[in-house]
């Protein structure tokens, strides 16, 4: 047995560079689940990433000049408490968000 439910429920959504508050899922909603964010940093100084739970901002990557270039995964395992999950990216970072989002 693989341990993977059928159908596999996790979805993913891409967030391009320089996005502000891109909602995850069609509409997103309170109770949506954010499993992980995969961040690709191509320019360290502008590689900032923030996730937002309705109105609460959580800085994941600051975009500091010392930030390493490349791809890294951040485990979140959080359920939204106040609204749809959304992601803001700087000009030097893209994100793949994985979770269960409202359509």
């Amino acid at each position: 047995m693989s341990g993977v439910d059928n159908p596999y429920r996790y979805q993913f959504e891409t967030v391009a560079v320089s996005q502000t508050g891109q909602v995850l899922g069609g509409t997103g909603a309170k109770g949506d689940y954010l499993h992980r964010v995969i961040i690709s940093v191509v320019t360290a100084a502008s590689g900032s990433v923030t996730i937002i739970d309705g109105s609460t901002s959580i800085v994941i990557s600051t975009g500091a000049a010392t930030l390493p270039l490349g791809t890294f995964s951040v485990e979140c395992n959080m359920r939204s408490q106040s609204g749809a999950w959304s992601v803001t990216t700087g000009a030097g970072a893209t994100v793949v968000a994985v979770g269960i989002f409202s359509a």
Side-chain angles (χ1 to χ4, degrees), residues 16-65:
V17 298
S18 300
Q19 297 300 302
T20 301
Q22 179 178 320
V23 173
L24 302 178
T27 59
K30 179 180 176 181
D32 283 359
Y33 176 70
L34 182 60
H35 179 62
R36 134 184 334 128
V37 290
I38 303 164
I39 303 169
S40 293
V41 178
V42 294
T43 307
S46 60
S48 61
V49 174
T50 302
I51 57 175
I52 301 104
D53 170 11
S55 61
T56 303
S57 295
I58 304 165
V59 176
I60 299 295
S61 173
T62 62

Side-chain angles (χ1 to χ4, degrees), residues 3-14 24-25 31-38 73-79 85 96-103:
V4 176
D5 289 343
N6 188 12
Y8 189 63
R9 291 196 55 202
Y10 287 159
Q11 305 150 342
F12 72 92
E13 185 162 337
T14 60
L24 302 178
D32 283 359
Y33 176 70
L34 182 60
H35 179 62
R36 134 184 334 128
V37 290
I38 303 164
S73 178
V74 178
E75 295 295 316
C76 299
N77 297 317
M78 297 184 288
R79 189 162 304 280
W85 286 111
V96 176
V98 178
I100 302 171
F101 313 118
S102 297

